[in-house]
Amino acid sequence: MPDVQHGELFLVSPSRDLEDAFREMATEFASEGRDRLLRALDDFEGYVGRLSNSAAGVDLSPGRVPESHFWLVCSDVIAGTSRLRHTLTPDLEIEGGHIGYDIRPSYRRRGFGTALLRLTLVRAAELGLSRARLTCDADNFGSIRVIENNGGMLDGEALSLSSGKPIRQYWVPTAFSDRGRGKGV
Ligand SMILES: CC(C)(COP(=O)(O)OP(=O)(O)OC[C@H]1O[C@@H](n2cnc3c(N)ncnc32)[C@H](O)[C@@H]1OP(=O)(O)O)[C@@H](O)C(=O)NCCC(=O)NCCS
């Protein structure tokens, strides 16, 4: 496992300036079979442009809502990514929610996931959301801990419409008073 620098953590919007760091992260995700980000490098400028449009609600596909993408930067490395949907649809309320996130494999289990959600919830508060819907597979114990570390309250359980697997549904306050005092780098 590579040495991980615990520098200052912050979220940035996708930028062409970070192409090398993005490539390094995408290559690592591809090593666990997730090659979606690697494919973005076929046309990185177009990819960053599409993410920017998505955040601005421009050229949305039917049924899509505006969505901001963030990269978690730590010592010039992109440790993970998050997505913040500005509104919910009935389908998203069941599964998908407002926020999704991924930490690159070599940065997992060191508090980065908890910190990434914490920082993304701050952005949600800036959008005027007082609480965020979060859903995850019922057997995704890492994600469950990330959500509960950030004050998530279990609201329900359902079967995923896509996988048929059990999922958990949470509401997470965007201004959780304990956030930052407990878990997370
Ligand atoms: C889920 C994910 C974001 C967690 O990120 P992370 O950086 O490991 O999270 P943290 O280090 O903040 O860990 C939070 C807690 O979960 C625990 N945890 C993390 N991964 C775990 C796992 N695979 N099994 C059990 N517990 C786990 C940690 O020990 C920690 O526990 P604690 O709060 O009791 O100390 C990361 O594993 C990931 O990106 N997975 C693939 C994508 C994904 O599942 N995204 C979420 C979709 S809903």
Side-chain angles (χ1 to χ4, degrees):
M1 187 177 282
D3 186 29
V4 168
Q5 301 288 319
H6 276 199
E8 190 186 353
L9 279 183
F10 50 95
L11 292 189
V12 298
S13 295
S15 160
R16 289 164 57 192
D17 296 344
L18 291 173
E19 182 167 356
D20 289 345
F22 184 91
R23 182 184 308 280
E24 198 199 329
M25 171 184 66
T27 303
E28 192 178 320
F29 274 120
S31 71
E32 64 170 9
R34 297 150 71 99
D35 60 1
R36 183 177 52 85
L37 296 182
L38 209 50
R39 288 201 305 276
L41 287 155
D42 294 344
D43 173 16
F44 193 62
E45 185 177 348
Y47 175 68
V48 169
R50 285 193 299 281
L51 297 188
S52 172
N53 280 347
S54 170
V58 172
D59 287 341
L60 296 178
S61 305
R64 304 283 298 196
V65 299
E67 180 176 50
S68 299
H69 288 244
F70 301 106
W71 295 345
L72 180 69
V73 172
C74 173
S75 305
D76 295 329
V77 169
I78 305 176
T81 69
S82 67
R83 300 158 292 287
L84 168 61
R85 292 165 205 109
H86 300 191
T87 56
L88 292 177
T89 63
D91 282 353
L92 283 172
E93 183 155 346
I94 295 169
E95 184 173 16
H98 284 107
I99 296 174
Y101 42 79
D102 301 275
I103 294 294
R104 60 193 283 178
S106 63
Y107 278 67
R108 290 178 191 161
R109 304 197 79 152
R110 301 160 192 247
F112 286 92
T114 298
L116 175 55
L117 178 56
R118 182 178 73 232
L119 292 169
T120 308
L121 286 164
V122 171
R123 301 304 183 105
E126 289 168 2
L127 280 181
L129 298 173
S130 60
R131 62 180 188 167
R133 187 71 158 171
L134 269 287
T135 73
C136 68
D137 287 351
D139 62 358
N140 190 339
F141 302 112
S143 194
I144 288 170
R145 292 296 304 144
V146 164
I147 294 168
E148 293 182 350
N149 284 346
N150 277 287
M153 303 291 293
L154 187 64
D155 180 59
E157 293 178 320
L159 291 181
S160 164
L161 295 176
S162 53
S163 69
K165 290 171 55 178
I167 57 171
R168 285 185 173 207
Q169 302 159 314
Y170 288 88
W171 286 113
V172 188
T174 58
F176 178 48
S177 60
D178 283 344
R179 188 171 299 131
R181 282 203 273 128
K183 304 285 186 176
V185 283

